[in-house]
Amino acid sequence: MTHHSAFSLFAKALGGHQDWPEQWPDAAPKPAYDAIIVGGGGHGLGAAYYLAKKYGITNVAVLEKGWIGGGNTGRNTTIIRSNYLYDESAHLYDHAVKLWDGLSQELNYNVMYSKRGVMMLAHNVHDVQSLQRHINANRLNGVDNEWLTPQQAKDYCPPLNISPDARHPVLGAALQRRGGTARHDSVAWGYARAAAALGVDIIQNCAVTAIRRGADGAVEGVETTRGPIATKRIGVSAAGNTSVVMQMAGLDFPLESYPLQALVSEPVKPTFPCVVMSNTVHAYMSQSDKGELVIGAGTDQYVSYSQRGALHIIEHTLAAICEIFPIYRRMRMLRTWGGIVDVTPDRSPILGKTPVKGLYVNCGWGTGGFKATPGAGDLLAYTMAKDEPHPINAPFNLDRFRNGRLIDEAAAAAVAH
Amino acid sequence: MILIHCPYCDEKRPEIEFANAGQAHVARPLDPSSQSDEEWEAYLFIRANPRGRHHERWRHVHGCGRFFNAVRDTVTDKFETTYKAGEPRR
């Protein structure tokens, strides 16, 4: 693996960027591995990287049915934050935010993590009380979050309409300054490159079709579209398709998969300095470094694997965006797309062991998995290496739907999550 | 936007008139106090979530207001059929 640096970038620029080598080899499956990760998104690639880097398990394959980062990793709105209400969630998401901090250096790949701040708007009395409760809970957990008056919010994000006559008046905002954005493709590519350098095989166009189990019930391998592969440890990190993969092992999961849409505008000069979210009217927006406004819409109401959603969902979001940021009313939208998100009943992820020996799962991140990418990868790797969950992900077990110990961020976050 | 046939109104109407009400034919236990934790988990939380043919409930909220069942393909989003509540699973 060639080392990236300002000097190497400059040298390649002199050559017209013509001689960049491939960043990692396109591997073919071997007959057996010590561990297999199903799903080559950020979470799965991250798990493979940390298995090799922190836990010394380098004979690992990542199986991706499509191409690397072509699922939800390449379809999200790249927002990073950790201002979750409950202790378990705050620890989980803040673990990820701490890893985001040094990620570019660690991977020697610029993931463009930008701490531009995530501001959540309050439009009514309930919002004010709810956000202030979040701020207090976050601070007790060591997560930064602060209250802004409408004028302070406007100073932080000038396009914001704080007129008292606005359709959605701004009564204040909660700001997490450590929150921000990162370049989603770079995260997948950076993890893939760093994992491959440590010996991990990254295998694309390789869909898992069955999970093989021995007489004692433990996993023995997988059948794939590129032949059978033997392994004793399988980590499933398949987002919207988790239910389908789990049924191969005879497990029914508390998940439903919905389309979630996002869209980008034509690129314009920098006008929008931070991330703004409004849970009440369901709109969130940031501006990419390319200049596009990146806008997140809501989920469709029905279960679907179609990777596209209905137009009225987008219209609803854009109507809200136009009211909150009137300067963008004439912006033209360039592209819309959908990804399939796996949603749990309590809107918290499932990350840990399953009833099948050797089968581990990282799923249920719903509409907010990108922010957790490094943390989820690290914790899935820990759980697979030690055959027991890390204290941070121990509460996010599958048993909570049986014993009732839910982590109900559904009620806490209301909608946008 | 998808068009949905309401079996009561006998009309195809746009999706925004309807509310999805989750998986169909999930029967509430007749004797709740006799249920084990596993049975409660299955009733409350476990869902089929199939990639393909899916049975689901819809409610024509901005129409007749009634619940009905539907069979839809979750990959194409195409409705195979809709039928009245209480009718056998298709």
Side-chain angles (χ1 to χ4, degrees):
Chain A
M1 183 175 85
T2 51
H3 185 78
H4 291 163
S5 65
F7 176 76
S8 71
L9 195 64
F10 181 70
K12 295 282 190 208
L14 290 179
H17 290 296
Q18 293 302 305
D19 54 347
W20 283 98
E22 66 174 9
Q23 296 294 299
W24 67 87
D26 190 18
K30 288 192 284 198
Y33 289 95
D34 292 340
I36 281 178
I37 307 284
V38 181
H43 285 222
L45 294 164
Y49 168 75
Y50 291 113
L51 270 176
K53 178 82 178 178
K54 287 171 87 166
Y55 307 108
I57 303 172
T58 55
N59 186 23
V60 176
V62 177
L63 307 183
E64 166 56 46
K65 73 170 177 165
W67 65 96
I68 290 305
N72 292 351
T73 298
R75 293 165 189 265
N76 61 75
T77 48
T78 76
I79 296 168
I80 294 165
R81 63 186 178 90
S82 59
N83 52 356
Y84 283 74
L85 181 64
Y86 292 111
D87 295 352
E88 297 88 345
S89 313
H91 295 146
L92 178 68
Y93 289 98
D94 214 48
H95 176 61
V97 170
K98 285 171 187 157
L99 287 172
W100 277 114
D101 234 343
L103 196 61
S104 292
Q105 287 73 25
E106 178 169 357
L107 299 179
N108 182 228
Y109 204 89
N110 189 2
V111 300
M112 297 165 74
Y113 172 37
S114 155
K115 288 184 243 186
R116 57 186 69 184
V118 171
M119 192 164 77
M120 301 179 117
L121 302 178
H123 297 296
N124 53 43
V125 174
H126 170 78
D127 284 354
V128 172
Q129 292 170 342
S130 164
L131 286 179
Q132 290 189 340
R133 182 182 175 211
H134 273 73
I135 290 171
N136 293 331
N138 289 160
R139 288 185 159 190
L140 285 170
N141 278 319
V143 176
D144 74 304
N145 203 351
E146 62 192 88
W147 180 252
L148 302 183
T149 63
Q151 187 57 50
Q152 286 171 324
K154 172 105 180 147
D155 292 343
Y156 197 74
C157 181
L160 188 63
N161 177 16
I162 56 165
S163 159
D165 301 327
R167 169 74 182 84
H168 307 296
V170 175
L171 303 186
L175 173 66
Q176 185 180 21
R177 291 183 191 271
R178 281 194 308 149
T181 59
R183 172 99 165 85
H184 49 0
D185 296 323
S186 285
V187 177
W189 300 333
Y191 272 126
R193 172 174 170 271
L198 294 169
V200 173
D201 277 359
I202 293 161
I203 303 161
Q204 303 183 92
N205 300 310
C206 182
V208 171
T209 54
I211 293 175
R212 279 192 291 170
R213 293 167 66 185
D216 60 347
V219 299
E220 289 194 334
V222 291
E223 306 280 341
T224 76
T225 50
R226 295 178 72 175
I229 306 172
T231 188
K232 296 283 184 203
R233 271 182 284 211
I234 303 173
V236 176
S237 196
N241 282 296
T242 302
S243 291
V244 179
V245 177
M246 282 302 163
Q247 269 154 15
M248 295 173 192
L251 297 176
D252 289 321
F253 255 57
L255 289 173
E256 289 191 299
S257 298
Y258 297 98
L260 177 70
Q261 293 183 86
L263 56 159
V264 292
S265 73
E266 56 191 343
V268 291
K269 286 187 176 179
T271 54
F272 200 78
C274 59
V275 181
V276 175
M277 308 181 69
S278 167
N279 287 352
T280 302
V281 294
H282 206 282
Y284 48 101
M285 185 159 84
S286 63
Q287 187 172 16
S288 75
D289 292 343
K290 261 193 294 183
E292 305 147 323
L293 296 177
V294 183
I295 298 169
T299 55
D300 279 280
Q301 55 173 336
Y302 45 81
V303 166
S304 176
Y305 289 82
S306 64
Q307 290 193 315
R308 58 174 181 246
L311 187 63
H312 66 95
I313 304 282
I314 290 175
E315 283 181 327
H316 175 84
T317 292
L318 287 180
I321 294 283
C322 289
E323 294 290 347
I324 301 170
F325 309 106
I327 70 162
Y328 297 126
R329 279 183 181 171
R330 290 183 168 197
M331 286 288 281
R332 282 167 295 195
M333 293 299 140
L334 211 58
R335 288 180 291 125
T336 78
W337 63 91
I340 301 303
V341 298
D342 46 328
V343 178
T344 58
D346 62 359
R347 303 298 190 270
S348 288
I350 302 167
L351 178 42
K353 298 171 73 169
T354 70
V356 174
K357 187 168 165 36
L359 186 64
Y360 307 86
V361 70
N362 167 43
C363 69
W365 290 93
T367 59
F370 176 74
K371 64 174 81 70
T373 302
D378 180 36
L379 295 168
L380 178 60
Y382 181 101
T383 307
M384 290 177 71
K386 313 262 182 190
D387 194 34
E388 62 177 21
H390 189 279
I392 293 176
N393 66 307
F396 295 88
N397 54 44
L398 192 54
D399 295 338
R400 71 180 191 268
F401 299 100
R402 184 163 302 174
N403 60 32
R405 236 192 127 70
L406 303 181
I407 304 161
D408 198 358
E409 292 291 342
V415 268
H417 187 51
Chain B
M1 189 181 307
I2 50 182
L3 296 176
I4 303 173
H5 178 259
C6 172
Y8 294 100
C9 303
D10 199 19
E11 262 188 279
K12 270 197 170 178
R13 306 291 300 169
E15 182 207 331
I16 48 171
E17 288 188 15
F18 297 84
N20 184 290
Q23 188 177 329
H25 304 294
V26 181
R28 185 175 169 80
L30 292 172
D31 182 12
S33 55
S34 72
Q35 299 290 298
S36 67
D37 287 354
E38 287 76 12
E39 285 165 327
W40 274 119
E41 180 192 22
Y43 167 67
L44 288 171
F45 299 128
I46 303 295
R47 292 294 174 259
N49 201 25
R51 187 184 173 95
R53 204 165 180 268
H54 183 44
H55 289 77
E56 61 189 357
R57 288 195 310 162
W58 287 83
R59 188 179 174 212
H60 196 183
V61 276
H62 300 296
C64 63
R66 303 184 74 171
F67 282 94
F68 59 92
N69 293 326
V71 182
R72 185 175 51 87
D73 188 298
T74 60
V75 178
T76 62
D77 289 340
K78 267 191 186 160
F79 279 84
E80 184 183 308
T81 182
T82 59
Y83 52 101
K84 293 174 182 172
E87 290 181 6
R89 186 184 171 97
R90 292 193 186 172

